[in-house]
């Protein structure tokens, strides 16, 4: 994965969660640690797709539950 996609993804996560990028850890669960409810999770997916020019299927989205899982997904 190029560094830009990772940086952009972390910036999006920070914007939506309200946590600084420096505090985001790969093990952070999107719900338990970052407090993303369903509307925020949907906003996250849509923003990732838009800014990174990618498509995330429903099946793929169901497996994205942590910061690290999102970053790993972007590597593939």
């Amino acid at each position: 994965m190029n560094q830009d996609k990772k940086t952009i993804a972390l910036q999006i996560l920070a914007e939506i969660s309200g946590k600084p990028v420096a505090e985001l850890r790969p093990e952070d669960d999107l719900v338990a640690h970052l407090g993303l409810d369903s509307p925020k999770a949907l906003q996250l997916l849509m923003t990732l797709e838009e800014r990174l020019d990618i498509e995330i299927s429903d099946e793929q989205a169901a497996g994205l539950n942590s910061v690290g899982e999102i970053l790993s997904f972007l590597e593939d």
Side-chain angles (χ1 to χ4, degrees):
M1 165 177 52
N2 75 38
Q3 192 62 26
D4 292 341
K5 279 189 175 184
K6 180 180 178 182
T7 302
I8 292 167
L10 289 171
Q11 288 170 343
I12 293 167
L13 280 159
E15 287 170 22
I16 294 174
S17 70
K19 299 228 185 236
V21 170
E23 289 182 18
L24 297 174
R25 302 282 175 257
E27 63 273 10
D28 285 348
D29 182 272
L30 300 180
V31 177
H33 296 112
L34 302 183
L36 297 191
D37 55 14
S38 293
K40 283 187 177 180
L42 183 60
Q43 178 187 3
L44 171 64
L45 294 172
M46 291 172 47
T47 306
L48 287 169
E49 287 180 328
E50 184 180 304
R51 290 207 208 155
L52 298 175
D53 194 29
I54 59 173
E55 284 191 29
I56 304 170
S57 72
D58 291 344
E59 293 80 20
Q60 292 167 323
L64 302 177
N65 300 307
S66 70
V67 173
E69 288 171 353
I70 290 173
L71 298 180
S72 293
F73 170 77
L74 294 174
E75 289 177 358
D76 296 338

